[in-house]
Structures are given as structure tokens and as C-alpha cells.
Amino acid sequence: MSYKIIVDSCCDLTDEMRASGVFISVPLSLRIDDAEVIDDENLNQAELLRAIAGAAGCPGSACPSPGDYLARYDCGADRVYVVTLTSKLSGSYASAMTAADLYMQEHPDAQLRVFDSRSASAGETLIAMKIMELEAQGMEFEALCKAVYRMIALQETVFVLEDLSFLQKNGRLTGLKAVLAKALHVYPILGATPEGTIQQVGMARGYKAAMTAFCEQIVRRCQELNAGRLVMAQCNCADRAEALAARILEKLPELEIHTVCTGGISTLYAGNKGLIVSL
């Protein structure tokens, strides 16, 4: 049976996933001062980073409308899976669900399922990979969906950010914490809660110490969860991602690591030199 995976543009796909013909992306948009930037394949990350750095106000984002999703559901596939940015940080999931309700009214027998990733970026990518894997195994639709729900409940996303300005401007960090972090060269290690919000899970002073702590946490959680695969999204720091992957593989040589470049929404949230890891 044929299938498609519809993702919002916060899902950072590998080159192989883009070339598979399986994916349909629904773009979010970014607002930087008076300019609107569509987060699609035409977006230039370097230009976006310059625009964010020079913005007078706080950049923002807007989720796709229900109509944006609905237009993509009728794609000719027997099965349609939808993976969205966490509902705790975006209205993308709500839009996808509204569109699904409308679509199912006209197509009551359709096999369509919307998943709240409770994550972002690499977390969405990892879920999409799981769907592809289970489809390749020929799993029945409902059994596959249950397996994906179980995965989402166990999945973990952690990240280290060098640029805290976006989180500060949006109230994710208090001004005091952001100032102290910058003055003392403190790198917070952040993570997604099971509900899909952001929490601080650690910190280290200096980049080297932060990468060591970050690597140790990733290795420990991979061992605890018996993870066989992780996705690492990097924002303008491919060298850092490569070095971190090498350190992880020294401890877990059998681990499958996929590295992706952040798209527009992920770049906005992660900031320049940000690293996001989902396992």
C-alpha cells in the first residue's frame, strides 16, 4: 500500500528522506520585523541568521492553517501520516487536527493519523524515520500508529544553545539567567518534557565542558533507553556536530547517527551554533 508522511517545516529531513518521494512539507512562516519569510526549500539559512541578528524586535513564527494541511491530505496515498511540532509550542498540531476532522467527514474510511511529536526538529525527524521503518516491515495501520505513540512517549530531545537571545526575548529564560549565562560563559543543557515543553536539565561553564556533559547525557540516555538510532540537527555548526557524533560513537559504536541541517523554524529557536539531539 502507498503512503505519505506530511510534516510541518520544523521537521528537519535528511537528504535521503527528501529524495524518497514519501514526504510532503507544510511550511510555517517567520516574521522578522516587517518581513515575512516562508520556511520552505528556498530559505537561505545564512541570510536568515543575519536577519535574526539584525532584527529590531523579537522574531516570531506562524503555524500553517487548517487549509494548508487539508490541501495536502488528498495526495493519492492509501495511508497518510502527519507529524507536527509539539502542540505546547505551536498551533501546527491543532491546525492539522482540524483539517483531519474535516477530511474524515468526507472520507470516513481514510487511513489518516496526526501525531503530536511533543518535540521539534530532530524529534520530528526521528518519528518520521520510525514510520518509514514500520511501513517497510508491512505493519498494519493501527498497529503501526500504536507503535509510533509508544515511541513518542519514550523519545527524548536535548539541546545545547550558544545564542540564548531568542529564548530570552520570548520569556523562555529570565533576563537575569540570560545575562549570567553570557557573562559567565555558561551553556545550559535544555530538554523537552514528556508533555513537549522546554526545561533545563543541566549546565556547564565553557564550551568544552558543555560538550562533555552533553555527550555524557546522550550516551547515558541511549544506554538506558536501549536506543539504536539518534538524529542530530545542527545550526551552522557542522564541525561541532561531526565532533560530537564521533565522541558518541566512541562509547556506542553500534549507534546509528543521522545529522541534519536546521530549517527556518529550527534555526529560529536553536539560534546560531545550536545543537539538537533526539533519541
Side-chain angles (χ1 to χ4, degrees), residues 10-104:
C10 191
C11 180
D12 297 315
L13 302 176
T14 66
D15 291 340
E16 292 78 11
M17 294 169 83
R18 294 182 189 281
S20 69
V22 168
F23 289 89
I24 300 173
S25 183
V26 186
L28 286 85
S29 61
L30 298 86
R31 173 65 63 178
I32 304 173
D33 293 336
D34 295 328
E36 183 182 48
V37 180
I38 304 301
D39 186 17
D40 60 15
E41 66 277 1
N42 297 314
L43 184 138
N44 183 291
Q45 186 190 71
E47 292 178 0
L48 176 62
L49 286 169
R50 285 193 293 270
I52 293 171
C58 179
S61 61
C63 68
S65 70
D68 292 329
Y69 277 107
L70 188 60
R72 291 164 172 84
Y73 286 172
D74 195 7
C75 56
D78 298 311
R79 299 175 174 180
V80 177
Y81 306 97
V82 189
V83 183
T84 76
L85 179 61
T86 172
S87 60
K88 298 298 184 181
L89 297 179
S90 170
S92 186
Y93 174 73
S95 289
M97 285 297 294
T98 298
D101 290 341
L102 293 172
Y103 186 81
M104 294 302 292

